[in-house]
Amino acid sequence: MALDVLSIQRRYEALRGERSGWDTAWASLSELFLPCRWRSDSDDTAHKRPKLNDRLVNSAGVLAMRTLAAGMQGGMTSPVRPWFRLTLKNHAAADGVSGLNAWLDEVTQAMQAALHNSNFYNAVHGLYADLGTFGTGLLVETADADGLHFHLVRAGEYVLDINGRGEVDTFFRRIGMTARQIVDTWGDGDSVPAAVREAAKARNGQGGATRFNVIHGVFPRTDLKPGVALGAASKPFVSVYLCEMGATGGKPALLSEGGYDMFPAFAPRWDVNGMDVYGRSPAMDVTPDCKMLQAMTATMRRMQHKIADPPMVADDALKQYGVTLDPGGLSFVNAASFAQSGAPVVAVQQPEPAALNYTMQGIKDVEQIIHDGLYTDLFRMLIDDDRRQITATEIQAKQQEKMILIGPVVERLHKELLEPLIARTFALMRDWGALPEAPDGMDAAELNVAFESVLAQAQKMTATSAIDQGLAFMTQAAQINADVLDVLNFDAMSKAYLDRIGMPESCVRDDQDTAAMRQQRAEAQARDEQAAQAQLAAQQAVDLTAAAKNLGQTPLGADGQTLMGTILGGLGAI
């Protein structure tokens, strides 16, 4: 079924209309926290000028957002330490599979290497900044023979839509491309409009300057036929590129149509209110404080300027001489008139030092509010603590207190960003033959992702502390009554503990291997006990034989008769 390009364009414009209420807020947030990142898709001249904010007089918001982005990357997807590993949702489904844990670790390492060799860590750093500022981000993942590729779409250039479960499954983005770029991407065939081809071939050199708007949309296919494979055009998600012809008239031109087996984009939200499409950010919470900070800083700068270069008042008799107040300046005046006037040039309206100090303290207080709102203290907790004698207990208490605040965000990013990212990366690498061959019997097993980042581990450590406390209590109780240890499942407890501290799968034996090892140990112990019993019986037989021999040879009395002879003689008398 052919795509209706007009309906696709109308849907894109309708989604832009729904997003318009966020545009003003995003533009204001960008000025205060993330300059140069927001670009309106309705501004055709944005590419011609740098996005500099001349009205920003205090960069506390920008620096705090920089710390948040770096802290989120280091805490969730650090490039210098493993932050995820593959496991199984149901180990029973893969019972008897040989080499399973080693294969999971090998696949995990291959995926980590692929992400390192791509631009993932650069792109996701920008995504965290977008999340902290705008509350929503968009990251697109593709792959080819060269590896994985990630593209961060700037706020203001995309629109989103959600399904009935509140999950983002649709995005459109407007791309400003020159005529030469369009022809270089889609060729000079009939799919490219004639106006674009002519502009690209123009001899006046305008092929690299004449720009057209290209709309890229990805959304679920409504006419999908299950079980029918007809190439990219019949995949579950449509990928379409349209060239708008608004300047020359006519309906949009269909440049290409493709598809994806999985949704290729990740659109995490920092926080979502109900069924809203776009999320809220921590920067929105401290925007009033950041605006107030700009006004307070501007006032303080004027006060400092007045102190350094105060307004002056002079005797009108000096007007005829043209007194200069420049550093090193020389003024020629009548000495007698100058002496009679007393102090002919004085400063007026000098700010009080106390007022300046009060203003500076107020600025520091507002900056601290911004730092608290953007979780700066979470990522710089030990750096900003000016005490030298701080105990490990205090540090742990502070971490748990801060994790209560950031915990819901970590869980949302796991669900909306990292879990689908790992699933899509696994599928792309599998399709391109970049993963080791799975062992036999893995078809029925469903993979799971365990996160081992700093923030994920901090959340899991609350469970390990419960295990530690419970085991310590049971150890003390066992000193009174050892039977209480029977209520503990030490196998389950050990596996839960090792899982929460991030023990690799290959370092933990599965249930089948553990049972086999215990059976071998039990059989070995049984054989040892049987051998010990046989040896004891043989020793007892030897001892009895020796005792009987001694009984027949031991003399009794003066006549030299033995004990055995005496016994036999007694029996004969009977």
Side-chain angles (χ1 to χ4, degrees):
M1 180 177 178
L3 293 175
D4 186 354
V5 294
L6 285 178
S7 65
I8 293 175
Q9 185 187 37
R10 285 194 291 267
R11 185 185 182 191
Y12 166 66
E13 293 298 338
L15 292 176
R16 284 186 66 198
E18 293 182 5
R19 193 207 62 194
S20 61
W22 294 87
D23 288 348
T24 303
W26 286 358
S28 177
L29 290 167
S30 178
E31 290 181 352
L32 296 173
F33 300 96
L34 205 61
C36 307
R37 187 61 63 85
W38 184 81
R39 294 288 178 91
S40 174
D41 54 11
S42 61
D43 186 0
D44 295 330
T45 63
H47 64 280
K48 295 183 178 180
R49 62 181 187 274
K51 301 291 289 185
L52 299 179
N53 188 357
D54 296 334
R55 293 178 295 177
L56 194 67
V57 295
N58 189 309
S59 59
V62 177
L63 298 179
M65 186 57 62
R66 185 184 303 172
T67 301
L68 182 144
M72 290 296 293
Q73 180 167 22
M76 296 198 67
T77 54
S78 173
V80 298
R81 58 167 291 171
W83 53 272
F84 74 93
R85 58 185 172 90
L86 296 183
T87 62
L88 294 180
K89 288 187 177 180
N90 184 11
H91 284 269
D95 283 345
V97 178
S98 178
L100 174 61
N101 290 339
W103 179 79
L104 290 173
D105 281 348
E106 189 176 355
V107 172
T108 300
Q109 293 173 8
M111 294 176 63
Q112 291 171 349
L115 292 174
H116 272 285
N117 294 331
S118 70
N119 65 326
F120 166 72
Y121 290 103
N122 288 333
V124 79
H125 178 268
L127 179 66
Y128 290 134
D130 284 355
L131 285 172
T133 303
F134 309 112
T136 308
L138 182 62
L139 183 67
V140 182
E141 181 184 14
T142 58
D144 56 23
D146 295 329
L148 303 174
H149 305 281
F150 294 86
H151 177 67
L152 178 64
V153 185
R154 290 176 297 192
E157 293 183 344
Y158 62 83
V159 294
L160 304 174
D161 199 7
I162 58 176
N163 57 23
R165 298 185 298 273
E167 301 168 345
V168 175
D169 65 351
T170 299
F171 80 87
F172 288 87
R173 56 174 175 149
R174 172 174 284 172
I175 312 169
M177 301 180 68
T178 64
R180 187 179 69 86
Q181 291 171 337
I182 295 176
V183 172
D184 182 64
T185 303
W186 286 279
D188 56 357
D190 294 338
S191 63
V192 177
V196 178
R197 298 197 303 267
E198 293 174 0
K201 296 177 182 179
R203 296 185 177 181
N204 57 3
Q206 294 299 312
T210 304
R211 305 183 74 87
F212 297 85
N213 287 326
V214 175
I215 305 301
H216 179 210
V218 177
F219 47 89
R221 187 180 294 276
T222 57
D223 57 345
L224 179 66
K225 297 180 180 180
V228 179
L230 299 176
S234 294
K235 291 183 178 295
F237 289 91
V238 180
S239 176
V240 60
Y241 286 88
L242 306 179
C243 183
E244 290 186 322
M245 304 304 297
T248 59
K251 68 176 184 179
L254 178 62
L255 294 175
S256 65
E257 176 188 356
Y260 295 100
D261 292 319
M262 303 174 64
F263 191 54
F266 317 104
R269 283 82 55 87
W270 186 276
D271 187 23
V272 178
N273 184 15
M275 290 294 287
D276 285 351
V277 177
Y278 302 97
R280 292 187 57 84
S281 69
M284 295 178 181
D285 299 331
V286 295
T287 294
D289 302 284
C290 202
K291 289 181 177 180
M292 179 172 60
L293 181 64
Q294 306 304 315
M296 294 175 66
T297 303
T299 299
M300 185 191 69
R301 298 305 182 201
R302 287 195 297 269
M303 295 173 66
Q304 292 175 331
H305 195 185
K306 281 186 176 182
I307 294 175
D309 188 12
M312 310 297 293
V313 61
D315 190 279
D316 60 355
L318 298 178
K319 185 176 182 180
Q320 58 180 323
Y321 301 111
V323 176
T324 177
L325 300 179
D326 295 335
L330 179 63
S331 300
F332 296 93
V333 300
N334 185 287
S337 301
F338 190 81
Q340 292 177 0
S341 61
V345 180
V346 295
V348 295
Q349 293 185 346
Q350 281 284 76
E352 294 291 336
L356 180 60
N357 293 335
Y358 178 80
T359 304
M360 295 176 66
Q361 182 60 44
I363 289 176
K364 291 182 179 180
D365 294 340
V366 177
E367 288 179 343
Q368 185 59 46
I369 294 175
I370 296 174
H371 291 162
D372 293 342
L374 296 182
Y375 304 96
T376 305
D377 51 348
L378 173 63
F379 305 116
R380 301 183 58 187
M381 181 176 55
L382 299 181
I383 298 177
D384 291 341
D385 200 315
D386 55 4
R387 289 188 299 156
R388 296 298 177 264
Q389 302 298 327
I390 181 169
T391 65
T393 303
E394 290 175 316
I395 295 175
Q396 184 178 4
K398 284 188 175 184
Q399 288 176 340
Q400 292 179 352
E401 185 178 310
K402 302 303 180 184
M403 281 304 305
I404 294 175
L405 302 177
I406 200 69
V409 178
V410 175
E411 291 296 328
R412 175 174 289 277
L413 292 184
H414 283 170
K415 297 297 182 182
E416 294 191 354
L417 172 62
L418 299 182
E419 287 183 3
L421 184 144
I422 296 302
R424 176 160 175 78
T425 300
F426 178 88
L428 291 174
M429 294 181 65
R430 179 194 58 200
D431 294 342
W432 285 93
L435 292 179
E437 184 177 355
D440 296 335
M442 273 294 297
D443 298 338
E446 188 176 0
L447 295 179
N448 187 33
V449 183
F451 294 102
E452 301 176 345
S453 64
V454 174
L455 294 179
Q457 289 281 12
Q459 287 186 304
K460 290 182 179 181
M461 287 303 292
T462 58
T464 60
S465 62
I467 295 176
D468 290 334
Q469 294 174 6
L471 186 59
F473 168 78
M474 295 299 290
T475 301
Q476 294 178 357
Q479 297 177 1
I480 302 175
N481 184 357
D483 294 340
V484 298
L485 295 178
D486 296 338
V487 304
L488 293 180
N489 186 339
F490 285 96
D491 285 357
M493 180 175 59
S494 301
K495 288 188 174 182
Y497 199 99
L498 295 177
D499 177 71
R500 282 162 175 77
I501 64 175
M503 178 69 74
E505 288 286 335
S506 59
C507 298
V508 181
R509 293 187 176 91
D510 56 27
D511 294 340
Q512 185 177 5
D513 292 342
T514 302
M517 178 178 293
R518 289 174 175 175
Q519 183 178 359
Q520 293 175 0
R521 185 186 302 118
E523 293 175 353
Q525 290 177 351
R527 289 193 299 268
D528 292 342
E529 290 178 359
Q530 292 177 357
Q533 291 176 358
Q535 183 178 2
L536 179 61
Q539 184 64 39
Q540 289 176 346
V542 171
D543 293 343
L544 288 175
T545 302
K549 182 178 179 180
N550 292 335
L551 185 64
Q553 296 177 354
T554 303
L556 287 177
D559 57 358
Q561 188 176 8
T562 63
L563 178 61
M564 181 62 68
T566 303
I567 295 175
L568 292 177
L571 291 176
I574 295 174

